[in-house]
Amino acid sequence: MSYETPAYQRVAADLRRQILDGTLPPGARVPSRAEISARYEVSETVALSALRLLVAEGLAEGRSGSGTYVREQPILSRLVRHPRREREGSPWAASMAGRGQAGTWSSSSGTAEAPADIAARLQVRAGARCMRTRYVFHADGVPVMVSYSYEPLAITDGQPILMPEDGPLAGRGVVERMAAIGIEVTDAEEDITARPALAEEATLLGEPAGTIVLVIRRTYCDSSGRPVETADILVPVSRFSLVYRLPIEPT
């Protein structure tokens, strides 16, 4: 059975080619619905669908009362992650220092019930009490990343590391904080997906509502395989790419 590509996709493909090869440079006006309809001999409904596809792909943007224009494509900054290694002190500050930038963050912590997905990752019952911390990470004062971290109170309650950003180990990474109470973190798992940012997340990142973010679902486990912390780490795809550096174990 043969499959014919829908007309709007064929039109979008040709306009996409013109954008990518520079025929339509950043800032250039994309042909209007009427112009597309006449040029490609399609209906204005098909033309509108083609324009909407280019906007959804991030190649074009609509301007009210003016038309559709080619978007300036930003140069992605690299965020390097070392999921199996953590230095003493703040991993974020150390990572940014390696790029010649000041790595800072703000946070707020409080007890919360674990939602079902978080509970599954922590291997606790849904509604189990956790310490929830929201972080906003900055590079030279610009918001780069948002993280929502959960630690089971069954592990940290009554311990000096209960509040991640208060006490003797304030601002230290999970591995170092857990080691202070005799828990050796030996493994980290990261599951990466993408979705539109929720309203609060977009505001914290300084991005438009609905912007697409990478979601890194990270979980730290101790030597027995017990999860001790899990977090959703959000990075806007329009500004950053993730780079992983993993140690190669000798054979």
Side-chain angles (χ1 to χ4, degrees):
M1 178 183 295
S2 62
Y3 173 78
E4 184 177 353
T5 303
Y8 81 94
Q9 291 187 13
R10 295 197 302 272
V11 172
D14 190 59
L15 293 171
R16 185 187 303 113
R17 175 190 58 77
Q18 295 177 53
I19 291 171
L20 295 178
D21 70 14
T23 302
L24 289 172
R29 184 176 178 275
V30 179
S32 67
R33 277 183 288 174
E35 291 167 337
I36 290 173
S37 179
R39 180 182 303 178
Y40 295 95
E41 298 182 342
V42 297
S43 69
E44 288 203 13
T45 299
V46 168
L48 178 60
S49 294
L51 290 171
R52 285 176 172 170
L53 181 56
L54 295 176
V55 171
E57 292 175 344
L59 296 174
E61 59 184 358
R63 299 178 187 174
S64 180
S66 178
T68 304
Y69 294 80
V70 178
R71 285 188 62 186
E72 185 80 40
Q73 296 300 310
I75 298 175
L76 297 180
S77 297
R78 291 157 52 97
L79 286 181
V80 180
R81 297 186 59 75
H82 301 270
R84 298 185 62 87
R85 180 179 63 184
E86 189 173 286
R87 303 168 181 168
E88 292 186 357
S90 163
W92 176 251
S95 174
M96 290 298 100
R99 295 175 44 171
Q101 294 181 289
T104 58
W105 65 95
S106 59
S107 67
S108 59
S109 297
T111 58
E113 295 183 353
D117 62 323
I118 296 296
R121 283 150 57 181
L122 290 173
Q123 298 178 13
V124 299
R125 63 173 177 80
R129 302 296 291 174
C130 294
M131 181 60 66
R132 177 186 182 271
T133 304
R134 185 191 73 190
Y135 294 93
V136 182
F137 296 93
H138 299 80
D140 289 342
V142 177
V144 169
M145 197 165 65
V146 171
S147 174
Y148 297 86
S149 167
Y150 292 81
E151 296 177 351
L153 289 184
I155 295 174
T156 62
D157 196 19
Q159 300 289 344
I161 67 165
L162 173 63
M163 301 293 288
E165 297 300 319
D166 288 314
L169 291 174
R172 303 301 181 95
V174 174
V175 174
E176 189 178 356
R177 290 175 52 251
M178 290 295 168
I181 60 172
I183 296 175
E184 181 187 11
V185 175
T186 59
D187 197 21
E189 177 180 286
E190 294 195 346
D191 173 12
I192 303 175
T193 185
R195 62 166 172 78
L198 302 180
E200 177 190 89
E201 299 162 352
T203 298
L204 292 171
L205 288 167
E207 293 284 338
T211 192
I212 302 300
V213 291
L214 290 173
V215 182
I216 307 165
R217 295 188 290 237
R218 182 200 65 205
T219 302
Y220 281 119
C221 295
D222 67 13
S223 55
S224 71
R226 176 184 59 167
V228 299
E229 187 263 4
T230 195
D232 284 345
I233 304 166
L234 312 177
V235 180
V237 301
S238 61
R239 291 191 282 139
F240 300 97
S241 65
L242 293 178
V243 180
Y244 281 80
R245 290 181 179 167
L246 307 176
I248 304 299
E249 298 181 0
T251 58

